[in-house]
Amino acid sequence: MTDTLTIRCPDDWHLHLRDGAILKAVLPETVRHFARAIIMPNLVPPVVTGADAAAYRDRILAALPDDALFEPLMTLYLTEETDPEDLVTAAERGLVHAVKLYPAGATTNSASGVRDYRRVQGVLERMAAIGLPLCVHGEVTDPAVDIFDREAAFIEHVLDPMRRATPGLRVVMEHITTREGIEYVKTQGSDMGGTITAHHLAINRNHILAGGIRPHYYCLPVAKREEHRRALIAAATSGDPHFFLGTDSAPHTDALKEQACGCAGCFTATNAVSVIAEVFEIEGALSMLESFVSLHGPAFYGLPANEGVIQLAKGAAVSYPDRIETAEGSVTVFDPGFPLHWSLSGREMNSMSQTKLSE
């Protein structure tokens, strides 16, 4: 029976770190396991220019624990006023690795997102020309569309028309939650990828609603039926290079989660790798773990896989903290609802290629 695993150090291709006191508290939870992460730009105000991204990157690096090896891969928040020249310059400097599309009003801090997709077509065409990926929050915001159907509607009415109108645009459909999302991504070419979260592999909508409302399972896109969770698991464990890990770890203080109109997001940075390893073992797919968490993402983004490794050990159920304390309040750690037996036993970073910014 396998009781140890050594895999290339993973990367997180969708991560929220917030800013200020929360950033300082949650960043160590990520760097314990991950060598790099695509950093979401939905701060208040959002990260919309190259200068914004550089300043945010500096704050992240300043918050790193001593001797930590971690590379934040910055993104820009796409708005209808995005300056394509600024975007191209930031990408050419190696500062920005993707651009994030939030449909306006779709999720946390998305009010500055896109309402009229025709107004960003020129930016998308410039991105296609230089190979800069677009990361999409794949939900429509039309109140007439049921919240459980918004991902499928986005594919039909936004994503597929956008891709047809912009040949060559590299797109990541982030935090896929439906069978329809999986089927769409896996039938596309190598310019399409999809991230899957640890929490969507672990929970379905019953976890949020059955027996009472559980706010720490509420996220956007919202967890769906069990049949959709099974489709996500099948994709993640298949070895298909279209799919890779993006945790969408999203810290909110308990005070903001546990109220009449609570915030959306699951904080999984602390135990995401353990959750995924447990799911993969249950499926008899531990041999596919490294591909999903360490290899497919770098390949899509045109980056080398990490040279270093992490060691995972299987033993008695792992005890993770219930909460991470911050100066703004406590942040509850995601509970998958089943015991976790795989834990980090070591990390060795032989080398890691850091992005160099031109002077």
Side-chain angles (χ1 to χ4, degrees):
M1 180 179 295
T2 301
D3 57 7
T4 60
L5 283 173
T6 300
I7 63 173
R8 295 235 190 184
C9 197
D11 299 307
D12 185 347
W13 299 99
H14 183 148
L15 177 66
H16 297 271
L17 288 173
R18 312 305 185 202
D19 213 344
I22 291 183
L23 164 64
K24 293 177 182 177
V26 304
L27 181 58
E29 304 301 298
T30 285
V31 303
R32 189 175 300 121
H33 300 92
F34 298 101
R36 298 172 292 203
I38 286 281
I39 308 299
M40 291 295 103
N42 59 331
L43 304 182
V44 181
V47 178
V48 295
T49 68
D52 294 338
Y56 188 25
R57 184 179 188 271
D58 287 346
R59 297 196 298 276
I60 294 169
L61 294 176
L64 281 175
D66 292 341
D67 301 323
L69 286 172
F70 176 74
E71 183 178 9
L73 305 175
M74 309 310 294
T75 64
L76 295 184
Y77 188 120
L78 183 64
T79 74
E80 294 175 11
E81 289 75 42
T82 291
D83 179 353
E85 299 305 324
D86 177 74
L87 181 152
V88 169
T89 298
E92 290 176 344
R93 292 178 58 206
L95 171 62
V96 168
H97 291 264
V99 173
K100 180 62 182 274
L101 166 61
Y102 289 105
T107 188
T108 302
N109 299 338
S110 61
S112 299
V114 176
R115 300 178 187 278
D116 183 350
Y117 293 97
R118 294 170 298 181
R119 298 188 61 180
V120 297
Q121 183 59 34
V123 174
L124 299 181
E125 290 170 358
R126 293 295 297 276
M127 291 172 59
I130 65 173
L132 185 64
L134 177 72
C135 299
V136 301
H137 181 108
E139 293 186 289
V140 298
T141 57
D142 183 349
V145 178
D146 188 282
I147 192 169
F148 292 104
D149 299 329
R150 291 180 179 183
E151 183 170 290
F154 181 87
I155 294 169
E156 179 180 358
H157 298 295
V158 180
L159 180 57
D160 194 58
M162 178 187 296
R163 283 175 48 75
R164 293 178 185 278
T166 321
L169 180 65
R170 299 182 63 75
V171 179
V172 179
M173 186 172 179
E174 296 192 306
H175 43 48
I176 301 173
T177 61
T178 63
R179 183 180 61 249
E180 292 87 350
I182 293 296
E183 291 300 320
Y184 180 79
V185 170
K186 75 180 186 181
T187 60
Q188 303 302 297
S190 61
D191 59 356
M192 181 87 205
T195 59
I196 301 173
T197 75
H199 55 281
H200 286 120
L201 291 174
I203 66 170
N204 60 37
R205 64 188 190 179
N206 283 353
H207 289 77
I208 309 171
L209 299 170
I213 296 174
R214 295 176 171 84
H216 294 289
Y217 289 133
Y218 172 59
C219 55
L220 288 172
V222 69
K224 307 298 194 298
R225 291 179 181 271
E226 177 66 6
E227 66 187 87
H228 296 291
R229 187 180 78 93
R230 296 303 311 172
L232 300 181
I233 291 173
T237 60
S238 68
D240 187 330
H242 283 96
F243 303 107
F244 41 93
L245 174 63
T247 69
D248 192 21
S249 181
H252 294 286
T253 62
D254 291 344
L256 293 176
K257 290 286 290 180
E258 299 168 0
Q259 59 173 322
C261 187
C263 292
C266 296
F267 177 66
T268 60
T270 301
N271 59 4
V273 174
S274 289
V275 171
I276 296 164
E278 197 76 28
V279 170
F280 274 55
E281 183 180 36
I282 292 169
E283 297 301 309
L286 281 174
S287 63
M288 295 291 112
L289 180 66
E290 183 179 53
S291 296
F292 179 67
V293 303
S294 307
L295 301 180
H296 293 168
F300 181 86
Y301 277 91
L303 297 171
N306 294 307
E307 292 295 328
V309 299
I310 63 169
Q311 293 89 33
L312 299 174
K314 181 182 178 182
V318 185
S319 178
Y320 286 102
D322 293 332
R323 295 173 181 81
I324 301 299
E325 298 301 329
T326 84
E328 296 184 15
S330 59
V331 175
T332 290
V333 175
F334 174 73
D335 175 4
F338 49 79
L340 302 176
H341 298 93
W342 289 96
S343 62
L344 182 71
S345 62
R347 174 177 171 181
E348 299 174 4
M349 294 304 294
N350 300 325
S351 66
M352 184 171 67
S353 176
Q354 297 283 346
T355 302
K356 301 297 185 183
L357 300 187
S358 59
E359 297 296 331

